[in-house]
Amino acid sequence: MKNLLLILAVTVVLAGSTGCTKNAVPLAPMASTVSAPAPAVETAAYSLDWTGNLSNPVGLAVDGSGVIYVADSDINLVLKFDSNGNQTGQMTGAPGKNFKNPFGVALDASGNIYVADAGNHRVQELNQNGGLVKMIDSTSLNSDTFSYPRGVAIAANGSVLVSDLTHLVWQLDFITAAVPWGKNGNLDGQFNFPIGMGTDSSNNVYVADYQANK
């Protein structure tokens, strides 16, 4: 099977703890009481059941060895490719918790994979075998949080950042629940349909604000 992956450059604005700003604001360190997640007990090895073409690829992440992860929201899969573009596996979600319109994908320093499971209003954290490490949703955060999460990014300090259709970016520490940034609008400190996100080694956060065109 031959799939074509295109890498696109986008213009983004810097975001800090108060939303979009002219200068990046570093993230605050995560709470020291956050403990490392326990090893996953569920496993779901990669398979190669899907042999068709990409249909609606919307999320992409690349690990340090050049392995590529692509979320395709039409076929409800995250596909895995080697550095030559050959498909080597696929993920349907944690066992019994299949993806519905997966969107953003991100990797942490341990190689765990975070998927914005938009249609299920949650983020799944999976290990390299596809097993569930953590389900990030309103239940785990003890709050009404996500509405169709689209973007997910991991900062250098370990913070998990999620954008969704509430026109907010959420910073998660799993102890005090989710901390929202900004509000709906097109001005500085506001978001209007934020989607893609990225971070740098200084913990600055970059947000592609779709409807605001910035």
Side-chain angles (χ1 to χ4, degrees):
M1 180 188 66
K2 195 77 172 179
N3 286 292
L4 178 62
L5 301 178
L6 299 179
I7 299 176
L8 305 179
V10 296
T11 301
V12 299
V13 294
L14 299 178
S17 58
T18 57
C20 295
T21 62
K22 292 182 180 179
N23 297 301
V25 179
L27 291 173
M30 292 182 67
S32 59
T33 52
V34 177
S35 58
V41 295
E42 298 176 284
T43 59
Y46 284 110
S47 65
L48 279 170
D49 296 336
W50 176 259
T51 57
N53 292 323
L54 293 169
S55 178
N56 188 28
V58 289
L60 183 148
V62 183
D63 70 15
S65 62
V67 175
I68 305 164
Y69 298 85
V70 180
D72 192 310
S73 65
D74 278 0
I75 59 177
N76 297 315
L77 295 173
V78 172
L79 302 176
K80 184 179 180 181
F81 298 86
D82 63 23
S83 58
N84 294 317
N86 300 306
Q87 185 183 339
T88 59
Q90 65 189 44
M91 304 174 73
T92 60
K97 303 173 179 67
N98 288 352
F99 297 134
K100 182 179 180 182
N101 307 124
F103 218 88
V105 184
L107 303 170
D108 67 15
S110 299
N112 290 333
I113 305 150
Y114 295 73
V115 180
D117 192 3
N120 288 314
H121 310 289
R122 63 193 182 193
V123 173
Q124 295 196 36
E125 180 187 353
L126 307 172
N127 62 24
Q128 285 290 316
N129 293 321
L132 179 64
V133 176
K134 186 185 283 98
M135 190 68 70
I136 307 171
D137 56 15
S138 58
T139 299
S140 65
L141 295 171
N142 195 28
S143 65
D144 293 328
T145 306
F146 302 135
S147 176
Y148 296 98
R150 298 298 182 95
V152 60
I154 313 299
N157 67 359
S159 291
V160 179
L161 301 128
V162 180
S163 63
D164 73 353
L165 290 192
T166 62
H167 308 290
L168 296 173
V169 171
W170 301 88
Q171 180 181 353
L172 313 181
D173 65 12
F174 307 111
I175 296 297
T176 59
V179 178
W181 297 356
K183 60 181 180 180
N184 186 17
N186 296 315
L187 302 177
D188 287 349
Q190 301 176 345
F191 295 113
N192 191 351
F193 206 162
I195 299 183
M197 294 191 297
T199 62
D200 63 22
S201 59
S202 298
N203 288 316
N204 296 316
V205 182
Y206 302 79
V207 181
D209 199 2
Y210 176 63
Q211 292 286 4
N213 298 313
K214 61 184 182 182

